[in-house]
Amino acid sequence: MSLIDPSAKIHPSSVIEEGAVIGAGCDIGPFCMIGPKVRLGAGVVIKSHVVIEGMTEIGDETTVFQFASIGAIPQDLKFKGEETRLVIGKRNRIREYVTMNLGTEGGGGVTRVGDDGLFMACAHVAHDVQIGDRVILVNSVAVAGHCVIEDDVIVGGLSGIHQWVRIGQGAIIGALSMVTADVLPHALVQGPRAELDGLNLVGLKRKGVSRDDINQLRAAFQMLKQGEGAFKDRAQRLSEDFDSDYVARMVAFVMGDSDRGFLTPK
């Protein structure tokens, strides 16, 4: 039996399968299908013609627009029907034709989306992706399996993110970019075969980052670009030369595990 809060509004043409949990104040429009292992938090709005399946959890006050497909099995030939999950946080806006897939056993079993994100029309979030808070994927962005996208990242329209790539906090990816290696926190990346093109200074200023921190980031970026030795060696030296938390975050990112290497300053 489904657990439907009495305050929820459900259009009579929609199908809520037995076992689904529908939270207080949810509003499910016409011709939707909600699978038996789906859990919707309070105040979730499902517009119309939306399919939500698999072991999918959607956080409070998220809105899913028409024709989205949420919680389908991965587009991965290694997937053999194992029970995996998709966990979506609070207050997200998931626009038309967005697809978000379940995880795989080999990738940790969970695809995870944080809070307050905007996923514009036709964006795709593949299996085992880990997305932070306040992330924006513009129209037709494709994020391949196992990627990590940290908080406050913006990915421009029609861009592709290669599997296993990490994108650091506050980075911005220009439209029509193909990103095949890790992107530093607060970096600006653009180009058909994406290149690191500086810092996301506009984003830093909009967030109210202090002038001192911005200046230290700029100096650190120049040292990464022009210093001697391997890229990780240059990054390690930054921790000795700067006392900014933003530079420390950049160093920690570079020193972390990377499956794809890094886009490096030209």
Side-chain angles (χ1 to χ4, degrees):
M1 182 175 181
S2 300
L3 298 176
I4 301 175
D5 190 277
S7 65
K9 293 170 54 181
I10 300 173
H11 193 278
S13 64
S14 286
V15 175
I16 312 297
E17 295 195 41
E18 287 194 16
V21 177
I22 310 298
C26 286
D27 187 348
I28 300 175
F31 302 107
C32 296
M33 194 205 81
I34 309 297
K37 298 179 181 178
V38 172
R39 301 176 64 92
L40 304 183
V44 171
V45 176
I46 310 297
K47 290 291 189 178
S48 72
H49 298 83
V50 172
V51 176
I52 306 176
E53 55 189 311
M55 189 175 288
T56 296
E57 177 181 331
I58 299 181
D60 299 350
E61 300 178 27
T62 288
T63 299
V64 184
F65 285 74
Q66 50 270 25
F67 306 109
S69 175
I70 308 299
I73 64 171
Q75 299 176 106
D76 182 347
L77 295 176
K78 298 186 298 297
F79 183 75
K80 301 302 180 185
E82 60 267 26
E83 191 165 84
T84 56
R85 296 190 295 149
L86 167 64
V87 179
I88 299 170
K90 299 178 181 179
R91 298 177 301 277
N92 288 288
R93 286 170 288 171
I94 300 172
R95 296 302 306 245
E96 298 83 354
Y97 298 101
V98 167
T99 55
M100 295 183 175
N101 293 160
L102 300 171
T104 65
E105 186 175 45
V110 182
T111 304
R112 192 178 303 275
V113 174
D115 299 335
D116 300 300
L118 172 58
F119 302 88
M120 295 190 193
C122 300
H124 173 62
V125 176
H127 58 88
D128 307 298
V129 168
Q130 307 294 305
I131 293 181
D133 298 337
R134 299 175 300 278
V135 168
I136 299 175
L137 302 185
V138 181
N139 299 305
S140 299
V141 166
V143 181
H146 310 283
C147 290
V148 175
I149 300 181
E150 296 185 352
D151 297 347
D152 302 304
V153 168
I154 299 174
V155 184
L158 296 165
S159 294
I161 313 299
H162 195 286
Q163 63 184 3
W164 299 103
V165 161
R166 299 181 302 148
I167 300 181
Q169 181 176 355
I172 185 167
I173 312 299
L176 296 166
S177 297
M178 180 61 219
V179 182
T180 59
D182 292 357
V183 176
L184 296 175
H186 309 292
L188 167 63
V189 167
Q190 57 187 347
R193 301 301 291 186
E195 296 183 352
L196 186 58
D197 199 27
L199 292 172
N200 180 16
L201 296 175
V202 172
L204 288 165
K205 291 173 183 177
R206 284 177 177 171
K207 285 181 64 63
V209 176
S210 72
R211 181 179 295 274
D212 180 62
D213 279 317
I214 291 175
N215 287 338
Q216 289 200 56
L217 268 174
R218 295 178 78 166
F221 187 85
Q222 287 302 313
M223 288 183 65
L224 281 175
K225 181 177 181 179
Q226 299 173 345
E228 296 181 355
F231 185 68
K232 282 199 170 186
D233 294 335
R234 283 178 264 161
Q236 185 64 60
R237 288 197 294 271
L238 297 181
S239 61
E240 303 166 4
D241 296 335
F242 297 92
D243 61 0
S244 166
D245 289 342
Y246 288 85
V247 176
R249 187 177 300 126
M250 182 179 290
V251 171
F253 185 88
V254 174
M255 302 310 294
D257 292 336
S258 174
D259 290 285
R260 296 291 305 170
F262 296 88
L263 294 180
T264 55
K266 301 298 183 182

